[in-house]
Amino acid sequence: MSLRDIVKDKDPILRTKCRRVEVFDARLHKIIDDMKETLFHARGAGLAAPQIGIARRIALIHADGVYLEFVNPVIVSSSGSQIGQEACLSVDNRSCIVERPNKVTVDYYDRNGNACTYDAMGFVARACCHEIDHLDGILFYDKEYTNVYRRVIR
Ligand code: CO
């Protein structure tokens, strides 16, 4: 495993729609292992492949004692609502309030290409939403709750 640099905010890869993983090989395992080391070192709640400069649909979650490796994740259902603070390893000195579902079901593949499903709640659900958004070039502050609120009351 090796530590990778985390790309920052202005890097265009963070605005890229990432491609699906098609081959579950040693190269994929190496990327996931590097992402894991980088995530744990940075003490984040999650890390998406574009954050280390790889435009592929891979995201890791490490939140509330849960560690997950998602390949080609899709949120297939969501329910409820939670409003809370978010930040991002790629965005320095900024956090904001984001509304997310309180529960999500994620269909994904593990690193060996096995189809899996995970039901996430609360903070883990929030982390899943944040990381999966990264795979579509969406950053948390795009969804800042106060902006939406101001737009509604104006
Ligand atoms: Co992030």
Side-chain angles (χ1 to χ4, degrees):
M1 293 203 284
S2 42
L3 265 184
R4 303 285 193 105
D5 289 334
I6 296 175
V7 304
K8 296 296 179 181
D9 212 4
K10 302 297 178 215
D11 193 309
I13 197 164
L14 292 178
R15 294 306 191 175
T16 300
K17 187 168 171 60
C18 298
R19 289 169 296 150
R20 287 173 56 85
V21 171
E22 306 287 354
V23 182
F24 295 80
D25 58 0
R27 188 172 162 273
L28 173 67
H29 295 178
K30 165 80 170 126
I31 292 168
I32 293 172
D33 287 341
D34 287 357
M35 286 176 65
K36 182 178 182 181
E37 183 171 345
T38 305
L39 171 63
F40 279 54
H41 182 262
R43 299 172 186 274
L47 186 73
Q51 293 183 274
I52 61 160
I54 295 170
R56 288 285 183 176
R57 303 187 78 80
I58 308 163
L60 308 188
I61 307 293
H62 188 217
D64 279 355
V66 175
Y67 173 69
L68 295 160
E69 298 177 346
F70 290 152
V71 179
N72 300 335
V74 177
I75 294 174
V76 292
S77 71
S78 62
S79 61
S81 165
Q82 57 173 318
I83 293 163
Q85 196 92 2
E86 259 175 60
C88 179
L89 294 174
S90 292
V91 180
D92 291 332
N93 305 315
R94 184 167 181 185
S95 65
C96 65
I97 304 294
V98 183
E99 183 176 13
R100 301 287 192 185
N102 195 47
K103 185 178 176 205
V104 295
T105 300
V106 182
D107 281 358
Y108 66 101
Y109 293 87
D110 70 13
R111 60 165 67 204
N112 297 310
N114 301 304
C116 306
T117 295
Y118 189 82
D119 289 316
M121 298 268 300
F123 185 64
V124 180
R126 173 178 296 283
C128 290
C129 294
H130 179 119
E131 298 312 326
I132 293 170
D133 272 354
H134 270 301
L135 307 182
D136 291 315
I138 298 164
L139 295 175
F140 71 103
Y141 58 68
D142 300 342
K143 298 185 166 179
E144 185 174 10
Y145 183 73
T146 50
N147 285 347
V148 175
Y149 180 67
R150 285 191 198 111
R151 211 178 299 140
V152 169
I153 60 171
R154 211 167 259 154

